[in-house]
Amino acid sequence: KQEVTQIPAALSVPEGENLVLNCSFTDSAIYNLQWFRQDPGKGLTSLLLIQSSQREQTSGRLNASLDKSSGRSTLYIAASQPGDSATYLCAAPGPDSSYKLIFGSGTRLLVRP
Amino acid sequence: KAGVTQTPRYLIKTRGQQVTLSCSPISGHRSVSWYQQTPGQGLQFLFEYFSETQRNKGNFPGRFSGRQFSNSRSEMNVSTLELGDSALYLCASSLADGGMNTGELFFGEGSRLTVL
């Protein structure tokens, strides 16, 4: 059974700080792992998809890494801005099928001006 | 390129009624999946469709059903609504090729259902 855990559950940082969000998963036989952002009352916005053959992916100030052997992924946000305030979710495919994603409970990020 | 479109965005129903939610995927995407999001349970998988076939179903009662049409648009239906069905229902599409790797999922804004 795939379980996805995210820590911390909430994070408050001053603007400009670099930060790391953590995601761990129990079943490492995954095709990929995806990071999302969710603003209050909104849907999910895809941030980064890391294929199992990759170790990291970058998009602007975001960098996500994947270590299948340890069952961990991290999302690094450089030079945080108030507009980065949102809930960040990671999701890994379920072990019985890659047709579904198992989501972590998210990290709620607040970037203070 | 239009994103995933879900309708209606908000709806209020009473217990015992039924509801149908609609999802139009990104053009060219053949895989559509549905998720339920609640404060207590987080995001939970409902079902996934590819080329009109349901390939996987989550652990939800039979009151939850769905289908996909030949143009890849999808609908989900919840019958005999209960208070606990109040949630944000999210639809996602992907450029799946029929294999096991779903690829990148793109979500719509969701349909927020309130059951009174």
Side-chain angles (χ1 to χ4, degrees):
Chain A
K1 181 183 176 184
Q2 178 73 283
E3 294 181 1
V4 179
T5 304
Q6 290 186 249
I7 53 171
L11 186 61
S12 178
V13 300
E15 181 176 5
E17 197 162 294
N18 301 326
L19 56 101
V20 175
L21 307 182
N22 296 291
C23 172
S24 60
F25 47 93
T26 54
D27 188 330
S28 61
I30 57 174
Y31 285 96
N32 53 49
L33 184 138
Q34 197 166 353
W35 283 91
F36 296 90
R37 165 187 174 139
Q38 186 174 34
D39 293 286
K42 300 288 189 179
L44 276 63
T45 300
S46 177
L47 296 173
L48 290 164
L49 172 76
I50 313 175
Q51 299 290 357
S52 59
S53 57
Q54 300 173 314
R55 291 190 64 84
E56 62 179 58
Q57 271 283 23
T58 299
S59 176
R61 294 182 293 108
L62 305 180
N63 176 278
S65 67
L66 176 63
D67 185 345
K68 286 180 59 177
S69 61
S70 66
R72 294 177 186 274
S73 177
T74 61
L75 179 66
Y76 175 83
I77 303 177
S80 58
Q81 303 170 359
D84 294 330
S85 298
T87 296
Y88 290 81
L89 296 145
C90 73
D96 52 342
S97 165
S98 284
Y99 307 142
K100 70 178 184 184
L101 294 182
I102 306 298
F103 283 84
S105 53
T107 294
R108 191 169 63 253
L109 173 65
L110 174 65
V111 180
R112 308 186 305 272
Chain B
K1 196 174 187 180
V4 178
T5 304
Q6 292 189 244
T7 56
R9 290 290 314 281
Y10 304 91
L11 64 167
I12 300 174
K13 295 284 186 178
T14 56
R15 280 179 297 176
Q17 287 187 309
Q18 74 156 12
V19 65
T20 299
L21 308 178
S22 180
C23 173
S24 293
I26 293 171
S27 178
H29 286 196
R30 296 163 64 188
S31 171
V32 174
S33 49
W34 290 87
Y35 290 80
Q36 181 197 64
Q37 186 177 33
T38 60
Q41 299 296 318
L43 276 150
Q44 292 188 291
F45 172 79
L46 282 159
F47 21 66
E48 190 266 358
Y49 291 89
F50 180 84
S51 292
E52 302 180 68
T53 299
Q54 184 183 89
R55 297 195 294 185
N56 201 358
K57 188 178 192 304
N59 189 25
F60 280 82
R63 300 184 297 106
F64 291 80
S65 63
R67 59 179 174 169
Q68 186 181 35
F69 302 96
S70 59
N71 61 359
S72 294
R73 190 178 69 85
S74 177
E75 289 181 348
M76 67 163 283
N77 184 77
V78 188
S79 62
T80 320
L81 285 166
E82 301 177 358
L83 295 178
D85 297 333
S86 294
L88 180 65
Y89 290 88
L90 292 161
C91 169
S93 74
S94 77
L95 205 59
D97 60 1
M100 292 292 287
N101 191 336
T102 55
E104 188 172 7
L105 264 63
F106 297 91
F107 281 80
E109 290 290 340
S111 293
R112 182 165 297 280
L113 170 66
T114 301
V115 182
L116 302 176

